[in-house]
Amino acid sequence: MATALPRPLHALTADELASAATDRRWPKWQTMALLHSLNLPVLNACLIEPDQGMAAVRTAAHDLATATATTKLMVRSDGGVEKKQYYRGGNTFPVEEIPLLAAGLLADGRAVILAEPTNRFTNRLTVLVRMDRPCPGRPGSVTMEALGPGYDVADLTRGQIPPQVTAYIGDVDWDHYQSPRWHEWQITGDRCSGGEDARRHRRLERLAAQTLTDGGHLDRTAGVEHAGAWLREHGFPHLFGPQPTRQALARRALRLFEDAFLMALAQPNRNWHCLATAFSVFDEPRAVYWDLVDGEHKYAATATNPARPKERAA
């Protein structure tokens, strides 16, 4: 039986979303479908499975670009249960370059997720939300770590950049919703050694070593000063301006808490212990959730003496 051609996430029926939301083969796509089915904001996207081939990539790229009225798309990938090192996605490329980029991913047995483009240099707010169930000696809780203008999700998830603001709510009963009072929030300010200058330096190091080189904007010899100059030259001064992160997080904290509770209730794994999701407010302005990660199913166990996985820079 022929495999159905990929269709944009926002065009899937309720039954198709429900099916995708329980398919654990592709966890990123699974959680995007789940979040969309809950009417939470996510990017429109298409999934191309490894056995669907290049014709499906071209069809998906055309259909998604048409649906979102764009000439560029973001390239992500999904490998099921991941190893610690895998493809760095999230960069945006012209539609005509998509087949070449996707070919290697499909050949490696990875699914390709094409998504509508974003500008990762102009984000207004980035928040990593962690949900913990009660366990012996520790109450249920929600922790929100936030970065302000010019930072992105990868800075918190992979960049080891300390948050500017952390908000914490304890004694959360994940089976019974109760709106927290403001005095119950524990807010912690900047704890980065060296302050904002050190944090900004780390961000520019990541841009120079990964994001701008992966996207073809700088070469591999570029340093921090080149990344800073590139941002300014292209009209992206957000990283160098005011960082009103505390106020921005305060405005959205209750809604993020409510959404986290909704995600936890809808999580297919009813025995979850720790969940995490990432949230971005773009410069447009527009806000989206990225994925919903179950900590127990994020990474595969490390084999004995594994060969180092080859990390492809797109």
Side-chain angles (χ1 to χ4, degrees):
M1 183 173 65
T3 304
L5 289 175
R7 292 170 56 225
L9 179 68
H10 292 185
L12 299 183
T13 66
D15 287 344
E16 289 170 329
L17 284 174
S19 176
T22 58
D23 185 348
R24 289 179 55 182
R25 292 177 302 160
W26 316 114
K28 292 188 182 74
W29 183 251
Q30 175 192 9
T31 62
M32 291 180 76
L34 176 64
L35 295 173
H36 186 52
S37 72
L38 296 173
N39 292 318
L40 295 174
V42 293
L43 296 174
N44 201 358
C46 281
L47 174 77
I48 303 97
E49 298 182 15
D51 61 353
Q52 290 185 298
M54 296 309 300
V57 171
R58 288 187 285 270
T59 298
H62 175 269
D63 290 351
L64 183 60
T66 300
T68 55
T70 183
T71 60
K72 295 183 178 181
L73 294 172
M74 180 191 301
V75 178
R76 306 182 74 197
S77 77
D78 206 337
V81 180
E82 299 285 7
K83 297 179 174 62
K84 290 292 185 179
Q85 292 182 323
Y86 59 96
Y87 173 78
R88 289 194 302 262
N91 286 325
T92 296
F93 303 92
V95 170
E96 59 270 20
E97 296 180 15
I98 298 296
L100 180 61
L101 295 166
L105 293 168
L106 297 180
D108 283 346
R110 298 186 64 85
V112 173
I113 297 176
L114 303 180
E116 56 185 304
T118 67
N119 187 334
R120 64 197 312 173
F121 311 118
T122 62
N123 293 332
R124 294 184 178 188
L125 178 69
T126 295
V127 186
L128 189 63
V129 183
R130 172 173 169 150
M131 298 152 261
D132 284 287
R133 261 207 170 130
C135 66
R138 187 184 69 190
S141 63
V142 173
T143 305
M144 302 177 189
E145 297 181 337
L147 290 170
Y151 293 92
D152 71 13
V153 166
D155 293 323
L156 288 169
T157 58
R158 296 196 297 272
Q160 298 180 330
I161 295 180
Q164 293 163 329
V165 181
T166 301
Y168 174 86
I169 287 283
D171 295 322
V172 176
D173 181 350
W174 289 105
D175 296 317
H176 302 90
Y177 175 81
Q178 184 174 354
S179 180
R181 297 182 177 91
W182 277 111
H183 73 271
E184 295 176 313
W185 290 89
Q186 299 177 33
I187 309 294
T188 304
D190 187 359
R191 288 185 175 178
C192 180
S193 177
E196 194 56 38
D197 287 343
R199 182 184 288 103
R200 186 182 301 111
H201 187 86
R202 292 189 192 184
R203 166 66 169 163
L204 291 171
E205 284 182 329
R206 284 198 69 251
L207 291 178
Q210 298 178 8
T211 307
L212 291 175
T213 51
D214 288 355
H217 304 296
L218 295 177
D219 62 37
R220 296 289 170 185
T221 64
V224 167
E225 66 280 4
H226 301 99
W230 188 93
L231 290 175
R232 290 186 171 95
E233 289 169 4
H234 288 79
F236 305 138
H238 305 65
L239 185 66
F240 309 101
Q243 296 285 326
T245 311
R246 189 183 186 96
Q247 302 94 308
L249 180 60
R251 285 195 298 270
R252 292 183 177 268
L254 181 57
R255 180 58 184 270
L256 289 169
F257 178 86
E258 293 172 345
D259 289 349
F261 204 91
L262 182 61
M263 293 179 206
L265 288 176
Q267 167 60 228
N269 174 20
R270 302 312 305 153
N271 296 316
W272 66 270
H273 292 88
C274 177
L275 302 175
T277 188
F279 176 81
S280 294
V281 180
F282 303 140
D283 196 39
E284 300 170 7
R286 178 189 180 192
V288 302
Y289 286 100
W290 292 91
D291 302 312
L292 178 60
V293 176
D294 184 341
E296 294 181 354
H297 298 110
K298 172 67 173 175
Y299 295 113
T302 302
T304 304
N305 296 323
R308 177 178 294 274
K310 181 173 66 174
E311 186 179 68
R312 182 185 299 103

